[in-house]
Amino acid sequence: MISRLLAILLAVAAGWGSAFAGAQGGSVDLAVKATEWKASFAFDPVTGTGHVLRGQDLVRFRVGTGALMMGNGALVASDAPEWTGSSVKVSPAVVEAIQAWFDTIDEERASRFSVAAILIDPGHGGRDPGAIGEHGSGGARLRIAEKDIVLSVATDLYARLKARWPDKTIMITRAGDSYPSLDERVAMANQVDLALNQAIIYISIHANASFNKKASGYEVWYLNPEYRRTVVDQKKAGDVDEDVLPILNAMLEEEYTTESVFLAKSILEGLGLAVGTDTASRGMRAEEWFVVRNAKMPSVLVELGFVTNEKEARLLADPGYLRKLADGIYNGITSFVDYFETRKGP
Ligand SMILES: [Zn+2]
């Protein structure tokens, strides 16, 4: 109660103070003040109108009018600027009003979520082929390795993301048939310097294998607090890509986020639109939704399909189909990023 009363008294005092200062000639040359704000200043003595422009932040005024127009038209009542014949003078209250508006904009900008970097991680590589699919015989014989499929999709995706966002850091953990260790892959993500509310997203790309030759379809994994348990359960069920486990555990070192869920959902939708009825969606893997405020790295893992299913293996051996998969993931990432960059961060 006391502090509230005090705040009111202070506000009244501040109001009187600025009016008093103005009357006492405490006025400020707006052009000089604009320089301090690193803003440009313009004034037309004929119309009596002018503006202060800081980046995209525009404040318009008219001499003799007790209001400022902020941005696209929000009017803020203040003291009227004066034209002395050589400069535009304003009261400290006007300076305060402009400063307050700039501060509000800066705060809002700083709190906006932005994806500054995207790391694409094609699994396996080099001496580690990942899952192998061998089907048919004679002329119809097919042998495909996970490391090649995921590299093809990841390389395509990487190039398209780079073209779409030249200002973002787009990275790929391997550009050829090499084998970066898990630590090296994770280190790439951690190397990126991020400002507050900037995020890096991590997309790991794999292909699946199962003893059940009928198993087919793509799926997208995201992280949640129950992940370790879920993974263990899945492993017991015998239907999880074993090489995924250490990656998931490494991802757990980072704070997960609801963003991972949205990203996974977005990629799954993108894949659905891109591949249509060519194969089935196995959906998102992980059930629980938790909101975590200070997540650093939304991370998902995409399983493109099963190399152990003959029909799907033949699709995965087709460059046209791999392009569709890359399309789907690309569209999922872009709609995720576009959506989140218009929203406020934590
Ligand atoms: Zn794999």
Side-chain angles (χ1 to χ4, degrees):
M1 196 58 169
I2 290 168
S3 64
R4 204 162 147 196
L5 182 62
L6 187 63
I8 292 165
L9 288 172
L10 285 171
V12 170
W16 285 358
S18 62
F20 191 66
Q24 293 294 303
S27 61
V28 177
D29 184 329
L30 191 56
V32 173
K33 193 65 202 171
T35 313
E36 284 175 33
W37 281 319
K38 295 188 169 56
S40 63
F41 173 84
F43 179 68
D44 176 2
V46 177
T47 59
T49 59
H51 69 246
V52 172
L53 179 63
R54 191 197 65 163
Q56 300 171 315
D57 312 328
L58 179 67
V59 179
R60 284 175 286 180
F61 62 86
R62 178 184 289 144
V63 292
T65 300
L68 300 162
M69 189 181 280
M70 311 298 202
N72 290 328
L75 280 174
V76 174
S78 195
D79 302 334
E82 286 171 48
W83 171 240
T84 66
S86 60
S87 65
V88 173
K89 298 279 191 192
V90 295
S91 73
V94 169
V95 171
E96 268 172 46
I98 296 174
Q99 183 69 60
W101 186 62
F102 285 161
D103 289 349
T104 307
I105 291 177
D106 290 345
E107 228 170 84
E108 202 273 328
R109 272 198 195 115
S111 72
R112 212 177 279 169
F113 182 91
S114 111
V115 174
I118 301 173
L119 177 57
I120 308 296
D121 178 28
H124 313 277
R127 63 178 190 273
D128 170 17
I132 301 280
E134 287 181 285
H135 303 280
S137 58
R141 190 181 138 75
L142 174 71
R143 184 184 191 278
I144 56 167
E146 178 183 358
K147 70 171 183 178
D148 300 323
I149 297 163
V150 300
L151 181 63
S152 168
V153 170
T155 309
D156 189 359
L157 181 60
Y158 170 72
R160 297 184 55 184
L161 291 171
K162 263 187 107 76
R164 163 80 183 240
W165 287 304
D167 296 336
K168 294 190 193 301
T169 304
I170 312 290
M171 299 178 294
I172 190 163
T173 54
R174 65 182 177 96
D177 189 19
S178 59
Y179 182 79
S181 70
L182 181 62
D183 285 348
E184 286 165 344
R185 292 175 206 244
V186 172
M188 281 187 77
N190 292 334
Q191 269 165 22
V192 181
D193 272 338
L194 296 173
L196 203 65
N197 292 309
Q198 282 190 328
I200 174 171
I201 60 179
Y202 184 100
I203 320 275
S204 196
I205 302 179
H206 285 258
N208 236 329
S210 174
F211 288 114
N212 174 10
K213 303 287 183 210
K214 286 183 182 159
S216 71
Y218 54 88
E219 63 196 23
V220 183
W221 292 76
Y222 68 88
L223 301 185
N224 72 23
E226 300 298 316
Y227 219 85
R228 201 180 294 269
R229 187 176 60 79
T230 307
V231 167
V232 171
D233 289 351
Q234 294 285 343
K235 199 184 173 192
K236 273 185 201 149
D239 192 24
V240 70
D241 183 352
E242 291 242 2
D243 55 68
V244 162
L245 298 177
I247 297 172
L248 297 179
N249 285 330
M251 286 175 175
L252 274 173
E253 301 305 314
E254 294 290 330
E255 286 177 297
Y256 51 78
T257 164
T258 299
E259 276 79 25
S260 296
V261 177
F262 286 120
L263 180 58
K265 192 165 175 278
S266 196
I267 290 176
L268 201 61
E269 283 168 4
L271 283 168
L273 290 171
V275 307
T277 55
D278 287 349
T279 190
S281 169
R282 292 163 60 86
M284 288 206 291
R285 309 297 293 262
E287 289 89 24
E288 315 225 7
W289 291 54
F290 281 84
V291 178
V292 171
R293 288 285 167 197
N294 51 349
K296 287 179 183 156
M297 189 162 79
S299 312
V300 301
L301 192 147
V302 183
E303 292 277 7
L304 298 174
F306 284 77
V307 299
T308 42
N309 177 291
E310 178 162 3
K311 186 178 169 233
E312 193 151 66
R314 295 199 183 278
L315 284 172
L316 293 169
D318 171 8
Y321 184 73
L322 296 183
R323 258 197 308 279
K324 282 191 195 174
L325 291 172
D327 273 357
I329 299 170
Y330 171 83
N331 288 333
I333 292 171
T334 54
S335 64
F336 168 83
V337 171
D338 290 347
Y339 178 77
F340 263 95
E341 290 193 337
T342 61
R343 292 201 124 50
K344 290 190 89 168

